[in-house]
Amino acid sequence: MWFVMCVADIALIGLAVMGQNLILNMNDHGFVVCAYNRTVSKVHDFLRNEAKSTKVIGAESLEDMVSKLKSPRRVILLVKAGQAVDDFIDKLVPLLQPGDIIIDGGNSEYRDTTRRCQSLKAKGLLFVGSGVSGGEEGARHGPSLMPGGHKEAWPHIKDIFQSIAAKVGTGESCCDWVGDEGAGHFVKMVHNGIEYGDMQCYFCSELDSFLIEITANILKYRDTDGTHLLPKIRDSAGQKGTGKWTAISALEYGIPVTLIGEAVFARCLSSLKDERVLASKSLKGPQGAKFTGDKDQFLEDIRKALYASKIISYAQGFMLLRQAAKEFGWSLNYGAIALMWRGGCIIRSVFLGKIKEAFDRDSELQNLLLDGFFTNAVQDCQASWRRVVSTGVELGIPMPSFTTALSFYDGYRHAMLPANLLQAQRDYFGAHTYELLSNPGHFIHTNWTGHGGNVSSTSYNA
Ligand SMILES: *[C@@H]1O[C@H](CO)[C@@H](O)[C@H](O)[C@H]1NC(C)=O
Ligand SMILES: *[C@@H]1O[C@H](CO)[C@@H](O)[C@H](O)[C@H]1NC(C)=O
Ligand SMILES: *[C@@H]1O[C@H](CO)[C@@H](O)[C@H](O)[C@H]1NC(C)=O
């Protein structure tokens, strides 16, 4: 026959580098992929160059693409998050049959993914929003994949997804089903937030982590003139916004994800470069303060402070996932999530294996810090962590992640916090009422001053 029909296992729309690499990765694992780009010349270029002598086929139009797919049809979108995703979905819907699957592998906001799940369900189509992490390199040789959405789609894409994902340990795939609706993109968002926190923590490692590895390489890297490159780089950090989204979700759902929040703010502060240059001329730090301790001992202290802070960051990340699961009625597999992050992606580290083990021991684990392994790990680091933070404070060195992590730890481990005073103040000035320890759930108001009016608890909002 001179024409070929229904041969492709899956189609991918969007031939930027991530899309091309994901196609080549699927091809390597024996899947026939149909490539499409709105600018059709990109398809021809790709087939002539990168995809030369592979089994990849191209499509001239969306109709052409759909006609080449086996049933149920599987279509991955790797296009710009936002309107472009909706536009392609609108064009695909009339071309697809009930039971066909659209997968969004872009960096979509989880709420958009939830909305798309709902609207496509009504049309009989299955929708999957998948986090893809690991950058271009990961996409080519093994990304971490975090799919969520219509679970009925999972049996039809599981084989492809788990084959192309990164592998760890004894070949376990860094990909598993995350949960309903936008859960995959939510988990990806928290993953990116943790990456922010990790980067803020690093300057010095049991962690065996990718970020630590690249940090060491960066510290050693020399410019063409033989001097170190790092001190020449302008100290104003950029951000694409996913760390910020995580912090916003944390505020929205009322979870103290302080380390990621602090990491986002630290980048904001760094970007005030001109103001800081001005301020550095008049705002003084501690005078004559100098580190006099044992440097090797202190390096060991820093390593432990880093480890403890990192545990706090992950504990907080999982707290946020738990709350989102509660909020949206998702049932999340926390151990699988840790495993998905274990390889392929930027925050990969052996440490994540320990998190997986903790959730294997107890899938309902309230907080990572309450797992014996992590309780002991933090306990073991504690004295060092406190020495590093207090030394930094005395010497006037900003250490936002270490300090905020330690404050969280100290707050979380106290049965009693001074929030009773806060409640009393709120009741005093705004009659917001409070509960007594002896009678929780029952709100009362006190006439603190012995004068003043009879204010109701709705008079003020502070
Ligand atoms: C088409 O390919 C280019 C890169 O060659 C990419 O930037 C763009 O996102 C792709 N767009 C679509 C809609 O296929
Ligand atoms: C508060 O106490 C004072 C003094 O006992 C009393 O005069 C006043 O009526 C009280 N106000 C209210 C709102 O209970
Ligand atoms: C305060 O106001 C509430 C509701 O307006 C009323 O029931 C109560 O009796 C008042 N208390 C005093 C002490 O005036």
Side-chain angles (χ1 to χ4, degrees):
M1 277 203 307
W2 56 272
F3 66 96
V4 196
M5 279 185 80
C6 305
V7 289
D9 295 300
I10 191 161
L12 189 145
I13 300 176
L15 297 181
V17 186
M18 286 292 284
Q20 292 191 9
N21 283 356
L22 220 51
I23 291 175
L24 295 174
N25 186 350
M26 289 189 276
N27 178 77
D28 285 352
H29 286 88
F31 301 104
V32 177
V33 190
C34 178
Y36 178 72
N37 190 290
R38 191 169 32 204
T39 312
V40 176
S41 63
K42 306 269 183 211
V43 178
H44 300 151
D45 289 347
F46 179 57
L47 292 180
R48 261 198 307 270
N49 299 296
E50 294 85 355
K52 200 175 164 200
S53 50
T54 65
K55 288 184 293 175
V56 177
I57 59 175
E60 304 284 324
S61 65
L62 287 176
E63 288 79 359
D64 182 29
M65 182 191 86
V66 168
S67 76
K68 287 176 172 162
L69 286 170
K70 291 179 193 163
S71 184
R73 299 178 187 83
R74 293 165 283 205
V75 179
I76 303 186
L77 296 172
L78 261 182
V79 299
K80 198 168 183 299
Q83 193 57 45
V85 177
D86 287 313
D87 291 347
F88 269 106
I89 290 175
D90 289 346
K91 285 187 198 137
L92 283 168
V93 165
L95 305 175
L96 297 176
Q97 306 279 322
D100 287 350
I101 301 159
I102 300 176
I103 301 152
D104 172 18
N107 247 332
S108 294
E109 228 223 289
Y110 67 95
R111 269 183 268 248
D112 286 339
T113 304
T114 296
R115 168 177 60 77
R116 288 166 188 149
C117 272
Q118 286 159 0
S119 83
L120 285 173
K121 188 172 193 111
K123 300 185 170 87
L125 296 173
L126 301 176
F127 188 69
V128 174
S130 181
V132 177
S133 174
E136 295 168 7
E137 185 66 20
R140 182 66 187 86
H141 299 290
S144 156
L145 296 172
M146 303 157 231
H150 293 138
K151 192 159 189 192
E152 302 92 304
W154 184 228
H156 301 290
I157 60 170
K158 184 176 176 182
D159 189 28
I160 301 180
F161 271 51
Q162 294 197 330
S163 318
I164 65 168
K167 307 290 181 303
V168 293
T170 51
E172 292 158 290
S173 176
C174 292
C175 171
D176 206 342
W177 187 251
V178 173
D180 296 331
E181 303 182 328
H185 277 129
F186 191 87
V187 165
K188 170 66 170 34
M189 177 190 77
V190 174
H191 159 279
N192 284 25
I194 288 179
E195 180 188 316
Y196 269 61
D198 274 9
M199 290 175 78
Q200 193 61 43
C201 283
Y202 290 165
F203 52 94
C204 65
S205 178
E206 76 224 61
L207 292 180
D208 182 13
S209 117
F210 170 72
L211 265 177
I212 292 216
E213 197 179 301
I214 69 163
T215 307
N217 289 339
I218 290 170
L219 290 173
K220 283 187 282 195
Y221 193 89
R222 287 179 191 272
D223 206 351
T224 41
D225 64 4
T227 62
H228 285 110
L229 176 61
L230 187 61
K232 301 183 194 169
I233 296 178
R234 192 166 189 268
D235 52 331
S236 171
Q239 42 185 326
K240 283 202 203 150
T242 41
K244 183 174 86 182
W245 288 358
T246 313
I248 290 174
S249 301
L251 290 171
E252 205 170 336
Y253 308 130
I255 301 299
V257 187
T258 58
L259 201 140
I260 295 175
E262 197 55 60
V264 172
F265 286 133
R267 289 199 192 187
C268 300
L269 178 60
S270 85
S271 70
L272 303 175
K273 172 73 173 169
D274 296 337
E275 268 182 61
R276 287 189 289 111
V277 170
L278 260 180
S280 69
K281 296 186 175 115
S282 52
L283 303 181
K284 299 274 175 272
Q287 299 300 302
K290 204 168 172 300
F291 180 73
T292 52
D294 178 335
K295 284 194 182 143
D296 289 338
Q297 170 61 43
F298 196 63
L299 270 180
E300 175 62 9
D301 284 346
I302 290 176
R303 189 185 65 79
K304 289 188 166 169
L306 172 61
Y307 188 40
S309 301
K310 188 163 162 137
I311 292 172
I312 299 293
S313 184
Y314 281 78
Q316 292 181 342
F318 279 92
M319 285 168 78
L320 180 56
L321 291 181
R322 264 185 89 94
Q323 187 59 30
K326 209 156 132 193
E327 204 87 29
F328 299 116
W330 298 337
S331 78
L332 298 180
N333 181 348
Y334 301 101
I337 291 170
L339 190 64
M340 277 178 254
W341 295 349
R342 168 79 173 72
C345 57
I346 309 260
I347 60 171
R348 68 182 181 238
S349 75
V350 172
F351 170 82
L352 286 163
K354 296 291 181 196
I355 299 181
K356 163 92 169 53
E357 286 167 23
F359 285 109
D360 284 348
R361 280 190 287 274
D362 176 8
S363 62
E364 294 302 307
L365 183 63
Q366 179 78 33
N367 191 299
L368 205 55
L369 291 169
L370 301 179
D371 171 77
F373 174 85
F374 289 101
T375 307
N376 293 337
V378 171
Q379 176 58 31
D380 174 58
C381 294
Q382 186 164 174
S384 291
W385 192 11
R386 292 186 191 284
R387 272 196 295 276
V388 170
V389 167
S390 56
T391 305
V393 169
E394 274 172 25
L395 299 182
I397 297 164
M399 296 185 306
S401 349
F402 287 0
T403 47
T404 198
L406 185 55
S407 295
F408 172 86
Y409 178 69
D410 283 335
Y412 192 71
R413 67 182 186 83
H414 270 90
M416 191 71 199
L417 285 173
N420 51 352
L421 175 56
L422 215 97
Q423 285 300 81
Q425 289 166 331
R426 294 176 68 241
D427 187 55
Y428 190 116
F429 68 70
H432 290 298
T433 71
Y434 61 88
E435 300 156 282
L436 287 174
L437 284 169
S438 57
N439 193 8
H442 180 70
F443 288 83
I444 54 172
H445 170 58
T446 291
N447 182 352
W448 296 94
T449 54
H451 53 77
N454 182 3
V455 275
S456 82
S457 65
T458 52
S459 302
Y460 298 97
N461 247 322

